[in-house]
Amino acid sequence: MSNLSSRAEQLAAFDRLLTIMDELRAQCPWDKKQTTESLRHLTIEETFELSDAILEGNPEEIKKELGDILLHIVFYAKIGSEEGNFDMASLIHSLCEKLIRRHPHIYGDTIAQDEETVKQNWEKIKLQEKGNVSVLGGVPKSLPAVIKAMRIQEKARGVGFDWEEKHQVWEKVEEEMQEFKEEFNAAEDKEIDKEKATGEFGDLLFSLINYARFIEINPEEALERTNLKFIKRFQYLENAARQAGKNLSEMTLAEMDVYWNEAKKK
């Protein structure tokens, strides 16, 4: 039996949430004190928790975290209505109007038969709407660097500024790697120019992210998978050492490698 609800049931559930938000805002000491500023860092935290649930592939956790984010949206709308700036209806209508504007291939006469054209149209319309002087003006300054690099590259591609073939992008990766190697040879034991090394390493990372985009790999997701894999193996190493009555800080690297190699087979 399907656990999916009808449109009427969904609307009733949303109405129930709005009513509960009204009651909490009027009666709960904590909810009454909140502002958009006080909620901001909590919203960011909830977004990362949703990200964790998605990476874990846990539908129940995804549902829970989406609920928490929905609560925050409703909360912001409630505060907006109290301040006379916007309410849930105007927020949703504004979103609907934006979606219609940015999908002229669905609601207008524009033709877009592939995803790439849709993305290019979206970026062009977005640029017109916001009146940004730069295509890159819409990239949030506080985005994490890897995600920011992805968005910068995607936006540049949206106006046609991009490599044509993926082999060209890989050649750029190799070029940046060679430059980094020549400048900061690992075999040499001399002190390096940290400022210059940071710049060159940034160029190398940017080119790798660019190549990942060309072969349709999300570099943020790829790095996070590696992070999780490392954590899992390192925790196996910790547990195995503990069970053997050993302390990691007192073990040699060769001793730790034995457990590490065991972890890789798990």
Side-chain angles (χ1 to χ4, degrees):
M1 180 178 176
S2 173
N3 62 354
L4 301 181
S5 52
S6 67
R7 176 62 64 88
E9 290 171 322
Q10 292 173 26
L11 292 174
F14 191 58
D15 180 65
R16 182 186 179 200
L17 174 59
L18 292 176
T19 300
I20 291 173
M21 184 73 256
D22 289 344
E23 293 168 348
L24 294 178
R25 187 67 170 168
Q27 301 174 38
C28 175
W30 185 88
D31 288 278
K32 288 188 331 189
K33 286 179 60 178
Q34 300 314 305
T35 65
T36 53
E37 289 76 16
S38 68
L39 288 174
R40 186 185 68 86
H41 74 281
L42 297 175
T43 307
I44 294 170
E45 184 178 329
E46 294 294 354
T47 304
F48 279 112
E49 289 179 1
L50 172 62
S51 176
D52 286 347
I54 292 171
L55 288 173
E56 291 164 6
N58 188 327
E60 275 302 310
E61 281 299 308
I62 291 173
K63 181 178 76 172
K64 172 181 170 293
E65 299 303 341
L66 282 171
D68 290 342
I69 289 176
L70 178 57
L71 171 61
H72 279 236
I73 293 170
V74 170
F75 211 148
Y76 287 120
K78 178 64 177 175
I79 296 172
S81 68
E82 293 169 351
E83 296 175 347
N85 297 322
F86 58 87
D87 62 10
M88 183 54 70
S90 63
L91 183 157
I92 292 175
H93 282 309
S94 177
L95 171 61
C96 291
E97 289 159 8
K98 180 172 72 173
L99 290 172
I100 291 170
R101 283 196 311 273
R102 295 190 185 180
H103 290 81
H105 54 291
I106 303 297
Y107 300 103
D109 300 326
T110 302
I111 297 174
Q113 296 178 334
D114 56 60
E115 180 186 1
E116 187 60 35
T117 306
V118 171
K119 286 182 178 179
Q120 290 178 359
N121 287 340
W122 179 282
E123 291 298 342
K124 289 175 184 176
I125 295 169
K126 190 174 180 180
L127 190 62
Q128 292 168 359
E129 287 176 353
K130 293 198 170 187
N132 290 329
V133 176
S134 169
V135 170
L136 306 181
V139 179
K141 295 178 182 178
S142 58
L143 273 181
V146 172
I147 299 175
K148 185 187 287 187
M150 292 165 55
R151 294 296 293 132
I152 288 170
Q153 293 166 5
E154 288 168 355
K155 284 183 175 293
R157 181 177 180 82
V159 293
F161 185 78
D162 202 5
W163 301 93
E164 293 180 353
E165 303 290 340
K166 68 179 181 181
H167 72 83
Q168 297 173 309
V169 189
W170 182 249
E171 287 169 2
K172 183 63 177 175
V173 172
E174 291 183 318
E175 176 188 325
E176 295 292 352
M177 177 65 83
Q178 188 59 36
E179 286 182 11
F180 190 79
K181 182 179 178 181
E182 289 174 357
E183 287 284 345
F184 314 105
N185 194 323
E188 297 177 2
D189 194 24
K190 65 179 182 181
E191 187 174 347
I192 66 171
D193 182 334
K194 290 287 181 65
E195 188 68 23
K196 189 173 183 181
T198 300
E200 293 290 351
F201 189 69
D203 291 345
L204 176 57
L205 282 179
F206 193 85
S207 65
L208 279 168
I209 291 168
N210 211 6
Y211 186 73
R213 180 175 58 85
F214 256 77
I215 59 175
E216 298 183 349
I217 289 175
N218 184 312
E220 177 73 16
E221 180 182 336
L223 182 57
E224 182 58 10
R225 285 189 184 184
T226 297
N227 288 339
L228 295 174
K229 181 170 62 177
F230 184 91
I231 290 170
K232 182 179 178 181
R233 290 175 179 176
F234 192 81
Q235 289 177 340
Y236 175 91
L237 163 63
E238 289 178 314
N239 291 332
R242 192 178 301 114
Q243 290 172 10
K246 298 178 180 179
N247 189 320
L248 281 187
S249 61
E250 297 171 355
M251 293 171 62
T252 65
L253 185 57
E255 289 175 319
M256 286 190 279
D257 272 342
V258 172
Y259 295 124
W260 184 263
N261 289 328
E262 286 179 9
K264 289 167 68 174
K265 297 175 184 177
K266 299 295 182 181

